[in-house]
């Protein structure tokens, strides 16, 4: 997936339990990369990308188990949901020029969510899983995690500190990887926004929504307002001119924003 995964857990988690669960979660992540990486020439995603088989042929692929076929269909369903809800700003079937299939914008968050569920079910119920800057948080109800939203224009500074016992924080931006997100509606690299952060309960959706909003650029505000009005996912944006904006519900996770910054500036 071209990134680094790491995990932190409270001291009371036994070291042997932690090591065993994390090793097995890493094995899961490595298998996910083998299946979904567009950088592995013979991965199932690469074969689907170049037309060697289509979605209807998934169950006929000899290197996929029945469970992995079901997972692949879940990923395709997630991509379809993100495409529908973003009005086409997220389109796994039209990435790049010429357009090609690449579900990476959804898979990293989905993989992080899967690994977090695995840890929770195998002795590490409280943890912070960091998937290349996108984090999944879980606690036992007695404490909260604090996650900082970096200022992409001044990387040593924090724009907001999010305090959350459970949930996901996903950020898509251009500071570290440049204009790597494709805008399928305008058929060119996304511009207008430097960074988008989404807070919500599920890392797969949060990551996808952040990618879609970054692709929308200056048009993202309406998408994020509608997203926040529909449910628990809230957004925070930083534009190319260093202006910031956030949806109303974002302040629930970062109350220090009230009075410090003006929404829409």
């Amino acid at each position: 997936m071209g990134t680094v995964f790491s995990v932190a857990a409270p001291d009371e988690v036994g070291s042997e339990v932690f090591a065993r669960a994390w090793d097995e979660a890493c094995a899961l992540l490595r298998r996910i990369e083998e299946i979904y990486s567009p950088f592995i020439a013979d991965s199932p995603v690469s074969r689907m990308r170049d037309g060697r088989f289509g979605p209807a042929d998934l169950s006929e692929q000899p290197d996929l188990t029945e469970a992995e076929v079901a997972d692949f269909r879940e990923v395709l369903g997630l991509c379809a949901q993100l495409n529908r809800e973003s009005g086409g700003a997220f389109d796994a079937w039209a990435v790049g020029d010429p357009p090609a299939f690449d579900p990476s914008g959804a898979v990293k968050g989905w993989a992080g969510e899967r690994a977090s569920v695995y840890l929770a079910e195998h002795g590490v119920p409280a943890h912070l899983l960091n998937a290349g800057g996108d984090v999944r948080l879980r606690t036992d109800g007695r404490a909260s995690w604090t996650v900082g939203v970096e200022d992409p224009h001044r990387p040593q500074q924090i724009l907001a500190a999010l305090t959350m016992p459970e949930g996901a924080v996903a950020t898509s931006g251009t500071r570290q990887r440049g204009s790597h997100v494709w805008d399928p509606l305008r058929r060119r690299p996304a511009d207008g926004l430097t960074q988008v952060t989404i807070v919500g309960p599920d890392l797969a959706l949060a990551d996808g929504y952040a990618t879609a909003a970054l692709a929308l650029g200056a048009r993202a505000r309406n998408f994020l307002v509608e997203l926040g009005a529909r449910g628990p996912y809230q957004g925070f944006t930083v534009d190319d001119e260093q202006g910031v904006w956030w949806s109303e519900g974002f302040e629930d996770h970062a109350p220090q924003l009230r009075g410090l910054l003006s929404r829409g500036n």
Side-chain angles (χ1 to χ4, degrees):
M1 281 168 274
T3 191
V4 175
F5 283 67
S6 61
V7 67
D11 289 341
E12 57 262 30
V13 176
S15 59
E16 292 185 5
V17 171
F18 178 87
R20 182 170 59 252
W22 183 230
D23 284 347
E24 293 174 357
C26 286
L28 171 65
L29 291 169
R30 284 191 291 271
R31 179 56 181 158
I32 289 172
E33 182 162 32
E34 291 172 357
I35 295 171
Y36 297 98
S37 174
F39 306 109
I40 299 175
D42 203 42
S43 71
V45 156
S46 291
R47 301 201 305 272
M48 184 176 285
R49 179 187 182 95
D50 63 21
R52 279 179 273 176
F53 76 93
D57 306 315
L58 272 168
S59 60
E60 301 174 10
Q61 304 311 303
D63 55 344
L64 295 177
T65 67
E66 185 175 339
E68 289 168 346
V69 168
D71 287 344
F72 207 124
R73 289 176 175 148
E74 180 179 322
V75 168
L76 293 178
L78 172 63
C79 290
Q81 177 184 349
L82 291 168
N83 178 266
R84 182 176 62 254
E85 293 184 354
S86 68
F90 185 105
D91 190 344
W93 297 93
V95 178
D97 185 18
F101 175 61
D102 184 352
S104 301
V107 168
K108 186 179 73 167
W110 177 82
E113 186 70 25
R114 290 291 302 276
S116 176
V117 169
Y118 187 91
L119 290 169
E121 292 177 347
H122 290 80
V124 192
H127 59 262
L128 183 155
L129 176 75
N130 187 328
D134 298 334
V135 298
R136 183 60 164 92
L137 311 164
R138 296 182 189 270
T139 69
D140 55 8
R142 293 179 296 173
S144 294
W145 295 97
T146 299
V147 178
V149 178
E150 180 185 88
D151 184 341
H153 299 290
R154 292 172 289 273
Q156 302 305 315
Q157 298 186 29
I158 297 298
L159 286 173
L162 306 173
T163 302
M164 303 169 57
E166 300 277 340
V169 182
T171 297
S172 186
T174 62
R175 186 182 73 81
Q176 293 186 342
R177 297 175 59 193
S179 299
H180 67 287
V181 171
W182 186 258
D183 178 354
L185 298 175
R186 296 183 295 169
R187 299 183 181 180
R188 68 187 196 189
D191 57 20
L193 289 179
T194 304
Q195 182 172 285
V196 177
T197 298
I198 300 291
V199 177
D202 181 275
L203 187 56
L205 285 172
D207 187 27
Y209 291 144
T211 300
L214 192 70
L216 284 166
R219 301 159 293 158
R221 188 171 302 186
N222 288 341
F223 167 64
L224 293 174
V225 168
E226 293 174 3
L227 183 67
R230 289 201 310 268
Y233 292 89
Q234 304 294 330
F236 182 98
T237 68
V238 184
D239 64 34
D240 293 346
E241 303 302 321
Q242 304 185 31
V244 298
W245 176 90
W246 59 90
S247 57
E248 185 175 355
F250 194 87
E251 293 180 357
D252 294 341
H253 305 286
Q256 78 279 6
L257 288 174
R258 300 185 185 99
L260 296 180
L261 298 169
S262 297
R263 289 180 64 232
N265 286 351

